Amino acid sequence: MGQAEWARGLAERLLAEPLSRRWAHTQGVAARAESLAPILGDEADTLTAAAYLHDIGYSPELVDTGFHPLDGARYLRDVAGADDRLCRLVAHHSCAVNEATERDLYDALTKEFAPERRELADALTYCDMTTGPDGRHLDVHERLAEIHSRYGPDHLVSRSITTSTPCILAAVDAIETKLRELSAR
Ligand SMILES: [Fe+2]
Protein backbone atom coordinates (compact mmCIF):
# COMPACT_ATOMS: atom_id res chain seq x y z
CA MET A 1 0.00 0.00 0.00
CA GLY A 2 1.23 3.51 -0.76
CA GLN A 3 1.89 6.07 1.94
CA ALA A 4 -1.22 8.04 0.98
CA GLU A 5 -3.52 5.08 1.52
CA TRP A 6 -1.96 4.36 4.92
CA ALA A 7 -2.18 8.03 5.88
CA ARG A 8 -5.82 8.24 4.85
CA GLY A 9 -6.74 5.37 7.15
CA LEU A 10 -4.86 6.84 10.09
CA ALA A 11 -6.28 10.35 9.62
CA GLU A 12 -9.81 9.03 9.21
CA ARG A 13 -9.52 7.10 12.47
CA LEU A 14 -8.21 10.15 14.34
CA LEU A 15 -10.42 12.87 12.84
CA ALA A 16 -13.60 11.62 11.18
CA GLU A 17 -15.70 10.99 14.27
CA PRO A 18 -14.50 13.65 16.76
CA LEU A 19 -13.82 16.41 14.22
CA SER A 20 -15.94 15.80 11.11
CA ARG A 21 -15.43 19.28 9.65
CA ARG A 22 -11.66 18.98 10.09
CA TRP A 23 -11.87 15.64 8.32
CA ALA A 24 -13.78 17.28 5.43
CA HIS A 25 -11.05 19.93 5.21
CA THR A 26 -8.37 17.22 5.31
CA GLN A 27 -9.98 15.32 2.43
CA GLY A 28 -10.10 18.53 0.40
CA VAL A 29 -6.41 19.20 1.08
CA ALA A 30 -5.56 15.64 0.02
CA ALA A 31 -7.53 16.07 -3.22
CA ARG A 32 -5.52 19.23 -3.96
CA ALA A 33 -2.34 17.25 -3.30
CA GLU A 34 -3.38 14.53 -5.74
CA SER A 35 -4.00 17.22 -8.35
CA LEU A 36 -0.33 18.29 -8.13
CA ALA A 37 0.91 14.95 -9.48
CA PRO A 38 1.81 16.55 -12.85
CA ILE A 39 4.42 18.78 -11.17
CA LEU A 40 5.53 16.40 -8.41
CA GLY A 41 5.80 13.06 -10.19
CA ASP A 42 6.85 10.31 -7.79
CA GLU A 43 6.59 12.61 -4.78
CA ALA A 44 2.84 13.09 -5.22
CA ASP A 45 2.19 10.06 -2.98
CA THR A 46 4.33 11.56 -0.20
CA LEU A 47 2.57 14.91 -0.54
CA THR A 48 -0.88 13.31 -0.50
CA ALA A 49 0.07 11.34 2.62
CA ALA A 50 1.28 14.54 4.31
CA ALA A 51 -1.96 16.27 3.30
CA TYR A 52 -4.01 13.57 5.02
CA LEU A 53 -1.84 13.85 8.13
CA HIS A 54 -1.22 17.58 8.38
CA ASP A 55 -4.02 18.31 10.86
CA ILE A 56 -4.10 15.08 12.92
CA GLY A 57 -2.58 17.12 15.76
CA TYR A 58 -6.08 18.50 16.39
CA SER A 59 -7.35 15.01 17.27
CA PRO A 60 -8.37 14.85 20.95
CA GLU A 61 -6.57 11.52 21.08
CA LEU A 62 -3.17 13.11 20.70
CA VAL A 63 -3.33 16.77 21.75
CA ASP A 64 -0.39 17.53 24.04
CA THR A 65 1.13 21.00 23.66
CA GLY A 66 -1.97 22.30 21.84
CA PHE A 67 0.20 23.30 18.86
CA HIS A 68 -1.16 20.94 16.23
CA PRO A 69 1.83 20.76 13.82
CA LEU A 70 4.16 19.68 16.65
CA ASP A 71 1.65 17.35 18.33
CA GLY A 72 0.88 15.73 14.98
CA ALA A 73 4.54 15.33 13.98
CA ARG A 74 5.50 13.86 17.36
CA TYR A 75 2.64 11.37 17.17
CA LEU A 76 3.73 10.36 13.66
CA ARG A 77 7.34 9.91 14.80
CA ASP A 78 6.79 8.29 18.20
CA VAL A 79 3.53 6.36 17.88
CA ALA A 80 2.82 5.77 14.20
CA GLY A 81 6.45 5.20 13.14
CA ALA A 82 5.91 7.35 10.06
CA ASP A 83 8.50 8.17 7.43
CA ASP A 84 10.75 11.04 8.51
CA ARG A 85 9.73 13.19 5.55
CA LEU A 86 6.07 12.99 6.56
CA CYS A 87 6.92 14.02 10.13
CA ARG A 88 8.88 17.02 8.87
CA LEU A 89 6.24 18.11 6.38
CA VAL A 90 3.54 17.98 9.05
CA ALA A 91 5.72 19.78 11.62
CA HIS A 92 6.35 22.72 9.29
CA HIS A 93 3.13 22.89 7.25
CA SER A 94 1.80 26.29 6.26
CA CYS A 95 4.76 28.20 7.74
CA ALA A 96 4.13 26.75 11.24
CA VAL A 97 7.42 28.13 12.51
CA ASN A 98 5.75 31.51 13.07
CA GLU A 99 3.03 30.10 15.29
CA ALA A 100 5.71 28.04 17.07
CA THR A 101 7.47 31.32 17.93
CA GLU A 102 4.20 32.79 19.28
CA ARG A 103 3.78 29.71 21.46
CA ASP A 104 7.39 29.57 22.70
CA LEU A 105 7.83 26.28 20.86
CA TYR A 106 10.29 27.45 18.20
CA ASP A 107 13.23 25.53 19.67
CA ALA A 108 11.21 22.35 20.18
CA LEU A 109 9.87 22.43 16.63
CA THR A 110 13.09 23.27 14.83
CA LYS A 111 15.37 21.03 16.90
CA GLU A 112 13.13 18.00 16.55
CA PHE A 113 12.11 18.49 12.92
CA ALA A 114 14.20 19.95 10.12
CA PRO A 115 12.23 21.53 7.28
CA GLU A 116 11.53 19.34 4.25
CA ARG A 117 12.70 20.25 0.75
CA ARG A 118 11.26 23.62 -0.25
CA GLU A 119 9.18 22.52 -3.24
CA LEU A 120 7.38 19.83 -1.28
CA ALA A 121 6.85 22.07 1.74
CA ASP A 122 5.48 24.80 -0.55
CA ALA A 123 3.16 22.28 -2.17
CA LEU A 124 1.63 21.27 1.17
CA THR A 125 1.21 24.91 2.18
CA TYR A 126 -0.45 25.58 -1.20
CA CYS A 127 -2.89 22.68 -0.69
CA ASP A 128 -3.80 23.69 2.87
CA MET A 129 -4.09 27.40 2.15
CA THR A 130 -6.33 26.98 -0.90
CA THR A 131 -8.80 24.68 0.88
CA GLY A 132 -11.51 25.97 3.19
CA PRO A 133 -12.60 24.45 6.51
CA ASP A 134 -15.32 22.41 4.79
CA GLY A 135 -12.95 21.05 2.12
CA ARG A 136 -13.96 23.36 -0.72
CA HIS A 137 -11.40 25.12 -2.87
CA LEU A 138 -10.74 28.74 -1.89
CA ASP A 139 -8.50 31.42 -3.28
CA VAL A 140 -5.58 31.97 -0.87
CA HIS A 141 -6.80 35.46 0.02
CA GLU A 142 -10.28 34.11 0.83
CA ARG A 143 -8.63 31.42 2.94
CA LEU A 144 -6.54 33.94 4.90
CA ALA A 145 -9.64 36.11 5.48
CA GLU A 146 -11.59 33.02 6.58
CA ILE A 147 -8.95 32.16 9.21
CA HIS A 148 -8.93 35.73 10.54
CA SER A 149 -12.72 35.82 10.82
CA ARG A 150 -12.90 32.35 12.42
CA TYR A 151 -10.38 33.17 15.18
CA GLY A 152 -10.94 36.92 15.61
CA PRO A 153 -8.36 39.72 15.64
CA ASP A 154 -6.75 39.08 19.04
CA HIS A 155 -6.21 35.35 18.74
CA LEU A 156 -2.71 33.89 18.64
CA VAL A 157 -3.59 32.02 15.42
CA SER A 158 -4.63 35.28 13.71
CA ARG A 159 -1.39 36.97 14.78
CA SER A 160 0.61 34.00 13.51
CA ILE A 161 -1.24 33.99 10.18
CA THR A 162 -0.44 37.68 9.76
CA THR A 163 3.26 36.95 10.35
CA SER A 164 3.09 33.94 8.04
CA THR A 165 1.25 35.67 5.20
CA PRO A 166 4.36 36.54 3.11
CA CYS A 167 5.62 32.94 3.49
CA ILE A 168 2.18 31.50 2.57
CA LEU A 169 1.75 33.79 -0.45
CA ALA A 170 5.27 32.95 -1.68
CA ALA A 171 4.52 29.22 -1.43
CA VAL A 172 1.19 29.54 -3.27
CA ASP A 173 2.81 31.71 -5.94
CA ALA A 174 5.66 29.23 -6.44
CA ILE A 175 3.25 26.32 -7.01
CA GLU A 176 0.86 28.34 -9.20
CA THR A 177 3.84 29.40 -11.32
CA LYS A 178 4.86 25.76 -11.77
CA LEU A 179 1.28 24.82 -12.74
CA ARG A 180 1.14 27.69 -15.25
CA GLU A 181 4.49 26.70 -16.76
CA LEU A 182 3.27 23.15 -17.14
CA SER A 183 0.02 24.10 -18.83
CA ALA A 184 1.87 26.47 -21.21
CA ARG A 185 4.08 23.67 -22.49
FE1 LIG B 1 -5.20 22.36 7.30
Side-chain angles (χ1 to χ4, degrees):
M1 130 166 81
Q3 284 189 313
E5 200 185 334
W6 170 80
R8 183 191 161 89
L10 178 59
E12 184 171 20
R13 186 178 71 70
L14 290 167
L15 295 174
E17 190 266 318
L19 299 171
S20 57
R21 199 161 187 240
R22 187 68 64 181
W23 174 233
H25 163 76
T26 292
Q27 291 173 279
V29 176
R32 301 286 291 162
E34 284 171 357
S35 80
L36 295 185
I39 60 170
L40 290 176
D42 290 349
E43 290 182 306
D45 183 62
T46 300
L47 180 71
T48 304
Y52 274 120
L53 298 169
H54 81 284
D55 275 351
I56 61 166
Y58 284 113
S59 172
E61 191 176 320
L62 59 93
V63 171
D64 178 26
T65 68
F67 177 45
H68 78 280
L70 184 60
D71 289 349
R74 282 176 169 169
Y75 178 90
L76 289 170
R77 180 192 63 195
D78 299 337
V79 180
D83 180 271
D84 186 49
R85 300 178 78 195
L86 292 179
C87 301
R88 292 192 279 128
L89 281 165
V90 168
H92 287 276
H93 79 267
S94 301
C95 311
V97 73
N98 294 307
E99 188 172 329
T101 304
E102 283 272 350
R103 292 180 182 271
D104 272 339
L105 289 168
Y106 177 89
D107 284 349
L109 185 76
T110 56
K111 282 181 183 153
E112 291 182 40
F113 302 98
E116 181 46 82
R117 195 168 68 75
R118 178 73 183 268
E119 186 186 17
L120 217 49
D122 281 354
L124 182 55
T125 297
Y126 166 86
C127 295
D128 189 21
M129 297 310 296
T130 59
T131 304
D134 54 7
R136 275 184 302 175
H137 175 56
L138 286 183
D139 171 85
V140 64
H141 296 286
E142 292 173 323
R143 172 70 161 136
L144 291 168
E146 175 277 314
I147 294 169
H148 281 293
S149 79
R150 187 153 40 99
Y151 286 94
D154 300 325
H155 198 282
L156 179 152
V157 170
S158 298
R159 286 200 304 276
S160 305
I161 280 291
T162 298
T163 314
S164 295
T165 293
C167 164
I168 290 166
L169 292 179
V172 170
D173 186 55
I175 299 302
E176 285 179 344
T177 299
K178 287 206 172 72
L179 289 169
R180 267 199 308 275
E181 285 168 358
L182 189 77
S183 67
R185 264 187 223 158

